[in-house]
Amino acid sequence: MGLDMDPLLQAWSYFRRRKFQLCSELCGRILEKTPLDQAAWSLKTRALTEMVYVDEIDVDQEGIAEMVLDENAIAQVARPGTSLKLPGTSQVGGPSPAVRPITQSGRPLTGFVRPSTQSGRPGTMEQAIRTPRTAHTARPVTSVSGRFIRLGTASMLTNPDGPFINLSRLNLAKYAQKPNLAKSLFEYIFHHENDLKNALDLAALATEYAQFKDWWWKVQLGKCYYRLGLYREAEKQFKSSLCNQDMVDTFLYLAKVYTRLDQPITALNLFKQGLDRFPGEVNLLCGIARIQEEMNMTTATECYKDVLKQDNTHVEALACIGSNHFYSDQPEIALRFYRRLLQMGVYNCQLFNNLGLCCFYAQQYDMTVSSFERALSLAENDEEVADVWYNLGHVAMGIGDVNLAYQCFKLTLANNNDHAEAYNNLAVLEMRKNNIEQARALLQTASNLAPHMYEPHYNFAALSDKVGDLQSSYIAAKKSETAFPSHADTQRLIQQLKQHFAVL
Amino acid sequence: MAEEKILMIPTVPGASEPRKSRLKKAPELPILERRNWLIHLHYIRKDYETCKAVIKEQLHETKGMCEYAVYVQALIFRLEGKIQESLELFQTCAILSPQSVDNLKQVARSLFLLGKHKAAVEVYNEAARLNQKDWEICHNLGVCYLYLKEFGKAKEQLNNALQLNRHDLTFMMLGKIHLLEGDIEGAIEVYKRAVESSPENTELLTTLGLLYLQLGVFQKAFEHLGNALTYDSSNYKAILAAGSMMQTHGDFDVALTKYRVAACTMPESPPLWNNISMCFFGKKKYVAAISCLKRANYLAPFDWKILYNLGLVHLTMQQYASAFHFLSAAINLQPKMGDLYMLLAVALTNLEDPENAKRSYEQAVIFDQCNPLVNLNFAILMYNQGDKKEALCQYQEMERKVNKLKESTAEFDPEMVDMGQKIGAALQVGESLVWTKSSKDSKIKQRPPTPCIQQQPLGSNQALGQAMSSAAGYGKIMHLPTGGVGLSQFSKPPSLPLEPELGPDE
């Protein structure tokens, strides 16, 4: 083409088509020519921000320090059903641990893992350090939420000639006077550089300049406070922002603050308020469902159904309802939900794994093995491979082929050495072969790896009881009872043992 | 007494003044044993915390020489499950007074609870040397020998114990030994004696009922189970056994009401769900039956009876692929059963694989001794395949079995009689006089006449009887005291039971 486009127009067009790399390079060239071009400068900050942008609502990561050392909840011993921190008392309804696997004591496995998924929390610092690193959140737990800092440094490394903006040399007060520049600059500082202090300074100056009338700046201030752990200040900002303008985002942020303060009922009320303003808003409905899922499985399913009525391609709702049906004796219906996900173009290891399981338990034998094969080929890391082999082991047990099951569980362990369920099931298979010592060793490993699972404890107790070692049996049975208090067989065993201890 | 209480309760937290006043009152008590009565009082009231405080004080005062305080401390430790600590304390007691039989007995008991049965036997023997006439020593020796698998000695000791003092526990252990040796008659004798001496013990009544059930003496079994249920209406074992008996006689609704009681206490029990589903099956509610069975199978994937019933229900529903799947799984877990191979063959016939069906029937004929249905179905298959010679051969085998069964007054399924007559006619062996009990002759006309459809009704309806008996058998086997390990459930999709040992039958 003989005629060249205006570079700024082209950069803008790149930005609108979300070609951020090209856009930022082009802006860089414009800025080399005319260093004082504010439009190009602002466009480049926006492109750089968009490259690493993660929606702040979904970034909710608690490090070990926040879980253990942070004391934001007001009530230490809340009434059952009013707290997210007491899983044993707050969990009502839904299938028992004998049917549905649990992650940490009391929380059933969820159908959809979000970055903010926290299933149960450790009691003490020591316990938090000893348990596997992915046991509480969707990613490995760090000491404080230090990932944000890492994010910033990592993105800087990609720029060969150093950072684009040197924050320490900016005169924030000057930029706060120019709302057009200030907003993109704030987003850059917050999302790209992760420099909370400077972001907060800028936001404070800007909101002052806007005479506290701009809801957007208030939300940003609240976000900064939230990140810094000042929840009450954040709450204040969000509330005052809601006075200026009703926005779905603000409701979600405020609910996030309340969740962190362990006030689920307040959060639910807030969501209901939000739904009055925005009837049928999917994110609000989904927020209700998420909170219910941590407290009451049966209501959660109802809430997720409401979500599906509004948006019938909502992946989270589909997955949660599907897993709920699977664990309440309806694998056929679960299969339909997962097939819906497949039709929507979701294509990953977990989905095929679930499809395989549903097919097997719904007696659709033609699809079972091929689904698992697909899952194996799509697995991205060793843990996923291990999980698929583990489920294949269950299928093998379903067809009565004990040797195949044995091999499958061995493969699970080869891929993931910390797979407590596989240790437990291997132990049961060893028991069937009468290798008592081996079974005991495996069960002990399993119970060390996953103290929240009742099965290895109970099996160990039953085994010890059989060979006559009643002390070990009693200790294990007690642990099993704490993991699953209403387990009838454990109760019976403990009663028996107590009788042994009492009579001469 | 009341006075004493009022006086003594303030001493408990360890305030020294009331103690001194007490000292003045009774200065003649020796210092070592001074407060044994108080320790004892707290112990028998299960007030362990206070008891421990008093013990600690007493031991501190006497520098550990108070034997009774150590003894009770050890007992409390044992109640808390700390057997190792209690063993050490009892050993201290034994050192303090080496001639006391009680101390030796307690040391041995602790060893027994720790699983060190040989050492326990040695200590008990020592204790027995000090006191010949103690039933506890004999009883515990017997139990130790039981764990060491020396049944002869165990029986001897337990009989000694019974002669000294009749105790329910001793009877139960003796019965257990008989069962481990496979001697049901002997066990029944033992339990009969036990029930005579304590007729209100539900445990004994239930076990006796189950043993009668195993022998097929239904009247007595029902009597004893009924007695057990009168004393304890929510006894899980008795409910399951009584329910399975009702099922055998076709009282499905009554059995279901019984199970409803048990389902509240044991919501995750595979045998219970198995029996419930067979009730539904009997009432021809097949879908409900399948869903109950699948729950049972989810909770106990290694239980071949549940798999067998699943296969059977799917055969009835004419879903042959699933039926094949469950039956072959059951065969993998229980390879030596004729009925399973027969049902597998029926499934295979319908899956259009007559070759394998034939091989499966051959296996069934090898393993099965008394079920004429196997041969009948085999004969039908061979007839449909055109192999009349083999069909005739199987038909004669069936006649032989039928004749044998008739001597033991078995009643035949009318459908089977019907089909047998038809195949007999087709094979031109005449309506031989095998089925003289043809009170249900009229039914013959209602049956579909074409031989091709024969197999489905064949497999199904008679197999219903099978399912019932298998459900009944379930109750039996599950609750024999021989299967020491109960069921456990696992998370993640299915659950794995630590398989209960199979009883002597089947």
Side-chain angles (χ1 to χ4, degrees), chain B residues 436-495:
Chain B
T436 35
K437 278 194 176 180
S438 51
S439 58
K440 279 126 183 168
D441 263 351
S442 56
K443 279 201 175 179
I444 297 176
K445 287 140 205 162
Q446 298 165 4
R447 293 286 153 207
T450 42
C452 304
I453 326 169
Q454 279 173 357
Q455 260 131 27
Q456 291 144 12
L458 263 191
S460 64
N461 213 0
Q462 145 32 50
L464 174 63
Q466 299 270 327
M468 291 307 118
S469 61
S470 118
Y474 208 110
K476 263 185 274 173
I477 288 168
M478 258 309 290
H479 301 298
L480 280 186
T482 48
V485 185
L487 291 167
S488 78
Q489 292 90 25
F490 282 18
S491 78
K492 217 64 179 187
S495 59

Side-chain angles (χ1 to χ4, degrees), chain B residues 78-93:
Chain B
R78 184 190 281 168
L79 280 177
E80 287 168 352
K82 298 173 188 161
I83 313 288
Q84 189 63 45
E85 282 99 326
S86 90
L87 174 65
E88 280 157 21
L89 289 181
F90 280 130
Q91 275 165 343
T92 320
C93 283

Side-chain angles (χ1 to χ4, degrees), chain A residues 109-119 137-139 316 319-320:
Chain A
L109 208 64
T110 172
F112 185 84
V113 179
R114 299 177 300 274
S116 53
T117 305
Q118 13 162 309
S119 345
T137 56
R139 358 176 115 254
E316 181 178 348
C320 285

